[in-house]
Amino acid sequence: MNFQSDNTSIVAPQVIEAILNANHESVPSYGHDAATEETKQKFNQIFERDVDVFFTSTGTAANGLALASLCPTYGAIFAHEEAHIITDEANAIEGFTGGAKIIPIAGKQGKIDPTGLEQRIQAWKNHRPHAPLPAVLSLTQVTEAGTVYTIDEIKALSKIAKANGLYVHMDGARFANALVSLGETPAAMTWKAGVDALSFGGTKNGAMAAEAVVFFNRDLSKNADYVHKRMGQLFSKMRFFSCQFLALFQGDLWLRHAYNANQIATQVTEILQRCEGVKLLYPIDANEVFVIMPDSLANHLRTEGITFYDWGLPGENQYRFVVSFNTHSSAIESLKIACKANLEAEYSLKAI
């Protein structure tokens, strides 16, 4: 049973079907096809306003396109110190922006501390022109700790950003998981809370390789088409990417996928907490579970074929379990059996 990442999951059958259905005839290239136009209109409906949408094949490309459109080459992007754009994108953002600097901000449970953000912005502003120009605030939703910013938290951080002339970007690789966790609308969690551009995740939620950059502030996307092209993300056969979102939006499949993952993550948490020596690192808001657990339990679970991700530094015994959109109840049963067997073995050893 694989709990390593939601990137390891299969492609949703509905997405595969949509790709096959898009393969029956020749259509205009570079996004001038009916499926891509329909998908863009669907984004307008979902977000309750006209938006500009650009499709990419990876989350890193989506973040790069969004931030390169929001930030000048001499600008600074403020993000949590554990944000994906800092730790897991090989300086791609610095490359795509032509040299912008990412400023790490501390904060508990993966969330940016508002006071720390204000202080860092002022420090950089007061050192003009020697320091980079504060230009963008990037929020990760769901955070790298598996937690979810509330609407009020997004609004509070956006208010600080806007008061200082910064744009707001949201890295929404797990956007759907955050949305169903809060029970909010896409509009409420983004532009109504001050977000200017969103990296909208599809791959972790059942797509094959499909992400989207959604611009709510359309003044910022005037030249995004050039950035899109230069990044190698203007696909000639765009319909095979855009149709994946149409499949996910049909019947709110994207939300049902996220709901399933979140619900099963809660069950994973309950099972792990019954094991001796297991401690939760962060609240369980979405589809990720971070724990500290003994070597004996970690080794036993892996022996039983249950895989998960090492987290933190070596020796800290920190692990991450991620539930995918298609994780079945049978996986929960396997985890339960493995944990029970480990518990019985531990008691037997103590008795000896």
mmCIF file with all atom_site columns, all heavy atoms in Angstrom, residues 18 32 43 45 57 62 96 104 121 148 180-181 195 212 277 304 310 316 331:
data_model
loop_
_atom_site.group_PDB
_atom_site.id
_atom_site.type_symbol
_atom_site.label_atom_id
_atom_site.label_alt_id
_atom_site.label_comp_id
_atom_site.label_asym_id
_atom_site.label_entity_id
_atom_site.label_seq_id
_atom_site.pdbx_PDB_ins_code
_atom_site.Cartn_x
_atom_site.Cartn_y
_atom_site.Cartn_z
_atom_site.occupancy
_atom_site.B_iso_or_equiv
_atom_site.pdbx_formal_charge
_atom_site.auth_seq_id
_atom_site.auth_comp_id
_atom_site.auth_asym_id
_atom_site.auth_atom_id
_atom_site.pdbx_PDB_model_num
ATOM 1   N N   . ALA A 1 18  ? -11.196 10.948 -21.427 1.00 0.00 ? 18  ALA A N   1
ATOM 2   C CA  . ALA A 1 18  ? -11.250 12.274 -22.043 1.00 0.00 ? 18  ALA A CA  1
ATOM 3   C C   . ALA A 1 18  ? -10.116 12.468 -23.044 1.00 0.00 ? 18  ALA A C   1
ATOM 4   O O   . ALA A 1 18  ? -10.310 13.044 -24.124 1.00 0.00 ? 18  ALA A O   1
ATOM 5   C CB  . ALA A 1 18  ? -11.193 13.354 -20.964 1.00 0.00 ? 18  ALA A CB  1
ATOM 6   N N   . HIS A 1 32  ? -6.209  26.754 -29.641 1.00 0.00 ? 32  HIS A N   1
ATOM 7   C CA  . HIS A 1 32  ? -7.313  27.368 -30.368 1.00 0.00 ? 32  HIS A CA  1
ATOM 8   C C   . HIS A 1 32  ? -8.370  26.318 -30.738 1.00 0.00 ? 32  HIS A C   1
ATOM 9   O O   . HIS A 1 32  ? -8.965  26.371 -31.818 1.00 0.00 ? 32  HIS A O   1
ATOM 10  C CB  . HIS A 1 32  ? -6.797  28.061 -31.624 1.00 0.00 ? 32  HIS A CB  1
ATOM 11  C CG  . HIS A 1 32  ? -5.841  29.162 -31.338 1.00 0.00 ? 32  HIS A CG  1
ATOM 12  N ND1 . HIS A 1 32  ? -6.202  30.345 -30.722 1.00 0.00 ? 32  HIS A ND1 1
ATOM 13  C CD2 . HIS A 1 32  ? -4.494  29.264 -31.563 1.00 0.00 ? 32  HIS A CD2 1
ATOM 14  C CE1 . HIS A 1 32  ? -5.153  31.127 -30.590 1.00 0.00 ? 32  HIS A CE1 1
ATOM 15  N NE2 . HIS A 1 32  ? -4.104  30.492 -31.082 1.00 0.00 ? 32  HIS A NE2 1
ATOM 16  N N   . PHE A 1 43  ? -13.437 27.379 -16.014 1.00 0.00 ? 43  PHE A N   1
ATOM 17  C CA  . PHE A 1 43  ? -12.697 28.061 -14.954 1.00 0.00 ? 43  PHE A CA  1
ATOM 18  C C   . PHE A 1 43  ? -13.399 29.369 -14.566 1.00 0.00 ? 43  PHE A C   1
ATOM 19  O O   . PHE A 1 43  ? -13.462 29.719 -13.384 1.00 0.00 ? 43  PHE A O   1
ATOM 20  C CB  . PHE A 1 43  ? -11.256 28.338 -15.391 1.00 0.00 ? 43  PHE A CB  1
ATOM 21  C CG  . PHE A 1 43  ? -10.292 27.226 -15.093 1.00 0.00 ? 43  PHE A CG  1
ATOM 22  C CD1 . PHE A 1 43  ? -9.956  26.302 -16.076 1.00 0.00 ? 43  PHE A CD1 1
ATOM 23  C CD2 . PHE A 1 43  ? -9.718  27.087 -13.840 1.00 0.00 ? 43  PHE A CD2 1
ATOM 24  C CE1 . PHE A 1 43  ? -9.064  25.269 -15.808 1.00 0.00 ? 43  PHE A CE1 1
ATOM 25  C CE2 . PHE A 1 43  ? -8.831  26.069 -13.559 1.00 0.00 ? 43  PHE A CE2 1
ATOM 26  C CZ  . PHE A 1 43  ? -8.496  25.152 -14.547 1.00 0.00 ? 43  PHE A CZ  1
ATOM 27  N N   . GLN A 1 45  ? -16.571 29.935 -14.652 1.00 0.00 ? 45  GLN A N   1
ATOM 28  C CA  . GLN A 1 45  ? -17.737 29.567 -13.849 1.00 0.00 ? 45  GLN A CA  1
ATOM 29  C C   . GLN A 1 45  ? -17.341 29.172 -12.435 1.00 0.00 ? 45  GLN A C   1
ATOM 30  O O   . GLN A 1 45  ? -17.976 29.589 -11.453 1.00 0.00 ? 45  GLN A O   1
ATOM 31  C CB  . GLN A 1 45  ? -18.473 28.410 -14.525 1.00 0.00 ? 45  GLN A CB  1
ATOM 32  C CG  . GLN A 1 45  ? -19.085 28.751 -15.878 1.00 0.00 ? 45  GLN A CG  1
ATOM 33  C CD  . GLN A 1 45  ? -19.601 27.516 -16.594 1.00 0.00 ? 45  GLN A CD  1
ATOM 34  O OE1 . GLN A 1 45  ? -19.825 26.462 -15.988 1.00 0.00 ? 45  GLN A OE1 1
ATOM 35  N NE2 . GLN A 1 45  ? -19.791 27.626 -17.906 1.00 0.00 ? 45  GLN A NE2 1
ATOM 36  N N   . SER A 1 57  ? 2.417   21.543 -17.734 1.00 0.00 ? 57  SER A N   1
ATOM 37  C CA  . SER A 1 57  ? 2.506   20.098 -17.504 1.00 0.00 ? 57  SER A CA  1
ATOM 38  C C   . SER A 1 57  ? 2.977   19.744 -16.095 1.00 0.00 ? 57  SER A C   1
ATOM 39  O O   . SER A 1 57  ? 2.828   18.595 -15.674 1.00 0.00 ? 57  SER A O   1
ATOM 40  C CB  . SER A 1 57  ? 3.463   19.465 -18.519 1.00 0.00 ? 57  SER A CB  1
ATOM 41  O OG  . SER A 1 57  ? 4.743   20.073 -18.436 1.00 0.00 ? 57  SER A OG  1
ATOM 42  N N   . ALA A 1 62  ? 4.032   25.728 -13.468 1.00 0.00 ? 62  ALA A N   1
ATOM 43  C CA  . ALA A 1 62  ? 2.917   26.625 -13.119 1.00 0.00 ? 62  ALA A CA  1
ATOM 44  C C   . ALA A 1 62  ? 3.384   27.724 -12.177 1.00 0.00 ? 62  ALA A C   1
ATOM 45  O O   . ALA A 1 62  ? 3.078   28.905 -12.374 1.00 0.00 ? 62  ALA A O   1
ATOM 46  C CB  . ALA A 1 62  ? 1.787   25.817 -12.483 1.00 0.00 ? 62  ALA A CB  1
ATOM 47  N N   . PHE A 1 96  ? 13.234  31.256 -13.859 1.00 0.00 ? 96  PHE A N   1
ATOM 48  C CA  . PHE A 1 96  ? 12.138  31.746 -14.691 1.00 0.00 ? 96  PHE A CA  1
ATOM 49  C C   . PHE A 1 96  ? 11.915  33.251 -14.536 1.00 0.00 ? 96  PHE A C   1
ATOM 50  O O   . PHE A 1 96  ? 11.483  33.918 -15.483 1.00 0.00 ? 96  PHE A O   1
ATOM 51  C CB  . PHE A 1 96  ? 10.838  31.001 -14.364 1.00 0.00 ? 96  PHE A CB  1
ATOM 52  C CG  . PHE A 1 96  ? 10.829  29.559 -14.798 1.00 0.00 ? 96  PHE A CG  1
ATOM 53  C CD1 . PHE A 1 96  ? 10.343  28.560 -13.955 1.00 0.00 ? 96  PHE A CD1 1
ATOM 54  C CD2 . PHE A 1 96  ? 11.291  29.197 -16.050 1.00 0.00 ? 96  PHE A CD2 1
ATOM 55  C CE1 . PHE A 1 96  ? 10.330  27.231 -14.360 1.00 0.00 ? 96  PHE A CE1 1
ATOM 56  C CE2 . PHE A 1 96  ? 11.275  27.869 -16.462 1.00 0.00 ? 96  PHE A CE2 1
ATOM 57  C CZ  . PHE A 1 96  ? 10.801  26.883 -15.611 1.00 0.00 ? 96  PHE A CZ  1
ATOM 58  N N   . PRO A 1 104 ? 12.731  33.481 2.684   1.00 0.00 ? 104 PRO A N   1
ATOM 59  C CA  . PRO A 1 104 ? 12.010  32.542 3.553   1.00 0.00 ? 104 PRO A CA  1
ATOM 60  C C   . PRO A 1 104 ? 11.479  33.221 4.814   1.00 0.00 ? 104 PRO A C   1
ATOM 61  O O   . PRO A 1 104 ? 12.182  34.005 5.454   1.00 0.00 ? 104 PRO A O   1
ATOM 62  C CB  . PRO A 1 104 ? 13.079  31.495 3.894   1.00 0.00 ? 104 PRO A CB  1
ATOM 63  C CG  . PRO A 1 104 ? 14.375  32.243 3.789   1.00 0.00 ? 104 PRO A CG  1
ATOM 64  C CD  . PRO A 1 104 ? 14.189  33.266 2.706   1.00 0.00 ? 104 PRO A CD  1
ATOM 65  N N   . ILE A 1 121 ? 9.336   42.409 5.193   1.00 0.00 ? 121 ILE A N   1
ATOM 66  C CA  . ILE A 1 121 ? 9.022   43.323 4.089   1.00 0.00 ? 121 ILE A CA  1
ATOM 67  C C   . ILE A 1 121 ? 9.592   44.707 4.366   1.00 0.00 ? 121 ILE A C   1
ATOM 68  O O   . ILE A 1 121 ? 10.226  45.330 3.504   1.00 0.00 ? 121 ILE A O   1
ATOM 69  C CB  . ILE A 1 121 ? 7.499   43.409 3.859   1.00 0.00 ? 121 ILE A CB  1
ATOM 70  C CG1 . ILE A 1 121 ? 6.958   42.082 3.304   1.00 0.00 ? 121 ILE A CG1 1
ATOM 71  C CG2 . ILE A 1 121 ? 7.162   44.553 2.900   1.00 0.00 ? 121 ILE A CG2 1
ATOM 72  C CD1 . ILE A 1 121 ? 5.449   42.038 3.171   1.00 0.00 ? 121 ILE A CD1 1
ATOM 73  N N   . VAL A 1 148 ? -3.985  23.754 6.496   1.00 0.00 ? 148 VAL A N   1
ATOM 74  C CA  . VAL A 1 148 ? -4.725  24.590 5.548   1.00 0.00 ? 148 VAL A CA  1
ATOM 75  C C   . VAL A 1 148 ? -4.927  25.981 6.138   1.00 0.00 ? 148 VAL A C   1
ATOM 76  O O   . VAL A 1 148 ? -5.396  26.125 7.266   1.00 0.00 ? 148 VAL A O   1
ATOM 77  C CB  . VAL A 1 148 ? -6.096  23.954 5.225   1.00 0.00 ? 148 VAL A CB  1
ATOM 78  C CG1 . VAL A 1 148 ? -6.959  24.891 4.392   1.00 0.00 ? 148 VAL A CG1 1
ATOM 79  C CG2 . VAL A 1 148 ? -5.899  22.622 4.500   1.00 0.00 ? 148 VAL A CG2 1
ATOM 80  N N   . VAL A 1 180 ? -12.146 21.531 -0.005  1.00 0.00 ? 180 VAL A N   1
ATOM 81  C CA  . VAL A 1 180 ? -13.140 20.701 0.668   1.00 0.00 ? 180 VAL A CA  1
ATOM 82  C C   . VAL A 1 180 ? -12.908 20.671 2.172   1.00 0.00 ? 180 VAL A C   1
ATOM 83  O O   . VAL A 1 180 ? -13.854 20.491 2.947   1.00 0.00 ? 180 VAL A O   1
ATOM 84  C CB  . VAL A 1 180 ? -13.165 19.265 0.092   1.00 0.00 ? 180 VAL A CB  1
ATOM 85  C CG1 . VAL A 1 180 ? -13.534 19.284 -1.370  1.00 0.00 ? 180 VAL A CG1 1
ATOM 86  C CG2 . VAL A 1 180 ? -11.841 18.552 0.303   1.00 0.00 ? 180 VAL A CG2 1
ATOM 87  N N   . SER A 1 181 ? -11.667 20.866 2.594   1.00 0.00 ? 181 SER A N   1
ATOM 88  C CA  . SER A 1 181 ? -11.373 20.932 4.015   1.00 0.00 ? 181 SER A CA  1
ATOM 89  C C   . SER A 1 181 ? -12.064 22.122 4.661   1.00 0.00 ? 181 SER A C   1
ATOM 90  O O   . SER A 1 181 ? -12.622 22.020 5.765   1.00 0.00 ? 181 SER A O   1
ATOM 91  C CB  . SER A 1 181 ? -9.864  21.021 4.245   1.00 0.00 ? 181 SER A CB  1
ATOM 92  O OG  . SER A 1 181 ? -9.560  21.192 5.621   1.00 0.00 ? 181 SER A OG  1
ATOM 93  N N   . VAL A 1 195 ? -6.057  37.050 -3.406  1.00 0.00 ? 195 VAL A N   1
ATOM 94  C CA  . VAL A 1 195 ? -5.104  36.344 -4.261  1.00 0.00 ? 195 VAL A CA  1
ATOM 95  C C   . VAL A 1 195 ? -5.192  36.866 -5.693  1.00 0.00 ? 195 VAL A C   1
ATOM 96  O O   . VAL A 1 195 ? -6.283  37.008 -6.246  1.00 0.00 ? 195 VAL A O   1
ATOM 97  C CB  . VAL A 1 195 ? -5.368  34.823 -4.232  1.00 0.00 ? 195 VAL A CB  1
ATOM 98  C CG1 . VAL A 1 195 ? -4.434  34.086 -5.193  1.00 0.00 ? 195 VAL A CG1 1
ATOM 99  C CG2 . VAL A 1 195 ? -5.194  34.294 -2.809  1.00 0.00 ? 195 VAL A CG2 1
ATOM 100 N N   . ALA A 1 212 ? -2.673  24.317 -14.011 1.00 0.00 ? 212 ALA A N   1
ATOM 101 C CA  . ALA A 1 212 ? -3.144  25.548 -14.654 1.00 0.00 ? 212 ALA A CA  1
ATOM 102 C C   . ALA A 1 212 ? -2.746  26.751 -13.820 1.00 0.00 ? 212 ALA A C   1
ATOM 103 O O   . ALA A 1 212 ? -2.738  26.686 -12.586 1.00 0.00 ? 212 ALA A O   1
ATOM 104 C CB  . ALA A 1 212 ? -4.662  25.510 -14.826 1.00 0.00 ? 212 ALA A CB  1
ATOM 105 N N   . GLY A 1 277 ? 3.879   4.964  20.894  1.00 0.00 ? 277 GLY A N   1
ATOM 106 C CA  . GLY A 1 277 ? 5.021   5.787  20.512  1.00 0.00 ? 277 GLY A CA  1
ATOM 107 C C   . GLY A 1 277 ? 4.789   6.703  19.332  1.00 0.00 ? 277 GLY A C   1
ATOM 108 O O   . GLY A 1 277 ? 5.696   7.420  18.910  1.00 0.00 ? 277 GLY A O   1
ATOM 109 N N   . GLU A 1 304 ? 5.686   -5.076 5.825   1.00 0.00 ? 304 GLU A N   1
ATOM 110 C CA  . GLU A 1 304 ? 4.350   -5.518 5.439   1.00 0.00 ? 304 GLU A CA  1
ATOM 111 C C   . GLU A 1 304 ? 3.892   -4.907 4.103   1.00 0.00 ? 304 GLU A C   1
ATOM 112 O O   . GLU A 1 304 ? 2.738   -5.082 3.701   1.00 0.00 ? 304 GLU A O   1
ATOM 113 C CB  . GLU A 1 304 ? 3.343   -5.164 6.537   1.00 0.00 ? 304 GLU A CB  1
ATOM 114 C CG  . GLU A 1 304 ? 3.554   -5.915 7.841   1.00 0.00 ? 304 GLU A CG  1
ATOM 115 C CD  . GLU A 1 304 ? 3.392   -7.416 7.671   1.00 0.00 ? 304 GLU A CD  1
ATOM 116 O OE1 . GLU A 1 304 ? 2.386   -7.828 7.035   1.00 0.00 ? 304 GLU A OE1 1
ATOM 117 O OE2 . GLU A 1 304 ? 4.260   -8.174 8.137   1.00 0.00 ? 304 GLU A OE2 1
ATOM 118 N N   . ASP A 1 310 ? 10.125  9.274  4.311   1.00 0.00 ? 310 ASP A N   1
ATOM 119 C CA  . ASP A 1 310 ? 10.930  9.785  5.410   1.00 0.00 ? 310 ASP A CA  1
ATOM 120 C C   . ASP A 1 310 ? 10.861  11.309 5.408   1.00 0.00 ? 310 ASP A C   1
ATOM 121 O O   . ASP A 1 310 ? 10.979  11.937 4.353   1.00 0.00 ? 310 ASP A O   1
ATOM 122 C CB  . ASP A 1 310 ? 12.394  9.351  5.272   1.00 0.00 ? 310 ASP A CB  1
ATOM 123 C CG  . ASP A 1 310 ? 12.592  7.864  5.504   1.00 0.00 ? 310 ASP A CG  1
ATOM 124 O OD1 . ASP A 1 310 ? 11.745  7.254  6.172   1.00 0.00 ? 310 ASP A OD1 1
ATOM 125 O OD2 . ASP A 1 310 ? 13.587  7.314  4.999   1.00 0.00 ? 310 ASP A OD2 1
ATOM 126 N N   . GLU A 1 316 ? 15.435  11.646 13.281  1.00 0.00 ? 316 GLU A N   1
ATOM 127 C CA  . GLU A 1 316 ? 14.318  12.329 13.945  1.00 0.00 ? 316 GLU A CA  1
ATOM 128 C C   . GLU A 1 316 ? 13.050  11.477 13.964  1.00 0.00 ? 316 GLU A C   1
ATOM 129 O O   . GLU A 1 316 ? 12.078  11.836 14.630  1.00 0.00 ? 316 GLU A O   1
ATOM 130 C CB  . GLU A 1 316 ? 14.020  13.658 13.249  1.00 0.00 ? 316 GLU A CB  1
ATOM 131 C CG  . GLU A 1 316 ? 15.103  14.711 13.457  1.00 0.00 ? 316 GLU A CG  1
ATOM 132 C CD  . GLU A 1 316 ? 14.744  16.041 12.815  1.00 0.00 ? 316 GLU A CD  1
ATOM 133 O OE1 . GLU A 1 316 ? 13.979  16.047 11.819  1.00 0.00 ? 316 GLU A OE1 1
ATOM 134 O OE2 . GLU A 1 316 ? 15.220  17.076 13.304  1.00 0.00 ? 316 GLU A OE2 1
ATOM 135 N N   . ALA A 1 331 ? -6.775  -0.342 1.631   1.00 0.00 ? 331 ALA A N   1
ATOM 136 C CA  . ALA A 1 331 ? -5.482  0.144  2.117   1.00 0.00 ? 331 ALA A CA  1
ATOM 137 C C   . ALA A 1 331 ? -5.551  0.425  3.606   1.00 0.00 ? 331 ALA A C   1
ATOM 138 O O   . ALA A 1 331 ? -4.589  0.168  4.348   1.00 0.00 ? 331 ALA A O   1
ATOM 139 C CB  . ALA A 1 331 ? -5.078  1.400  1.354   1.00 0.00 ? 331 ALA A CB  1
#
